[in-house]
């Protein structure tokens, strides 16, 4: 008695003219994903949308505003009164070198050293004004790590505006030199001249 063809392990005869049976209803064919399974796929040609959540804030273009400084979230780190005082003190010591020549010449009464010293004072003062306007730093400011910039964009004042700020320092001396002490408690560490010229002194390191 025959129990089916040898190639049929289930014992049922197969008709060679009958097409193979299809998988049962409700089961997906091999290699296909059933409809409705998982997340709906976006139609082709449509760009993917951003994920849910808060919208991202627009990024500012590179090089705009103040440089990012550690611990301040992009806000300028104002120089304190002590740093400003030390920077001014160093600049004063540099200007004292030509004055020493003048003092020596007064005792010698030659007139030559007084001329050299006077020209030296003027030359050093002009050079400091130019470097402060172009880079925001004099010798003293660079030594203590501070810089003079515009409050609006953090860029150097320029030579012309730096000269106007020097003239505006007379406002700091009028009320018993109160303007020179004002950065000690001011929120932006500004003197009266800084407020008039819209300038600030920040840390460069």
């Amino acid at each position: 008695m025959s129990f089916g063809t040898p190639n049929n392990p289930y014992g049922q005869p197969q008709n060679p003219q009958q097409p193979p049976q299809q998988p049962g209803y409700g089961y997906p064919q091999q290699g296909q994903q059933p409809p409705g399974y998982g997340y709906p796929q976006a139609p082709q040609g449509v760009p993917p949308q951003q994920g849910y959540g808060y919208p991202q804030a627009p990024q500012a273009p590179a090089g705009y505003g103040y440089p990012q400084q550690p611990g301040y979230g992009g806000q300028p780190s104002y120089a304190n009164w002590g740093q400003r005082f030390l920077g001014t003190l160093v600049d004063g010591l540099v200007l004292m070198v030509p004055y020493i020549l003048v003092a020596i010449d007064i005792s010698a009464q030659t007139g030559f050293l007084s001329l050299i010293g006077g020209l030296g004072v003027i030359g050093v003062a002009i050079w400091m004004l130019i470097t402060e306007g172009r880079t925001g730093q004099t010798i003293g400011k660079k030594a203590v790590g501070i810089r003079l910039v515009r409050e609006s964009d953090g860029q150097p004042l320029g030579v012309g505006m730096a000269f106007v700020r020097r003239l505006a320092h007379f406002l700091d001396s009028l009320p018993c030199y109160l303007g020179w002490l004002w950065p000690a408690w001011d929120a932006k560490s500004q003197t009266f001249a800084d407020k008039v010229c819209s300038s600030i002194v920040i840390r460069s390191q």
Side-chain angles (χ1 to χ4, degrees), residues 3 13 15 33 41 53 63 66 112 126 133 151 155 157 172-173 194 205:
F3 293 95
N15 188 353
Q33 185 177 355
Q41 299 182 359
Y66 295 99
F112 177 73
I126 294 177
E151 185 179 4
Q155 299 300 316
L157 294 182
D172 300 324
S173 303
D194 287 325
Q205 296 178 352

Side-chain angles (χ1 to χ4, degrees), residues 97-123:
V97 175
Y99 277 116
I100 293 176
L101 297 177
V102 175
I104 294 175
D105 184 70
I106 291 175
S107 61
Q109 297 180 355
T110 61
F112 177 73
L113 292 179
S114 296
L115 177 62
I116 297 300
L119 293 176
V121 171
I122 296 175

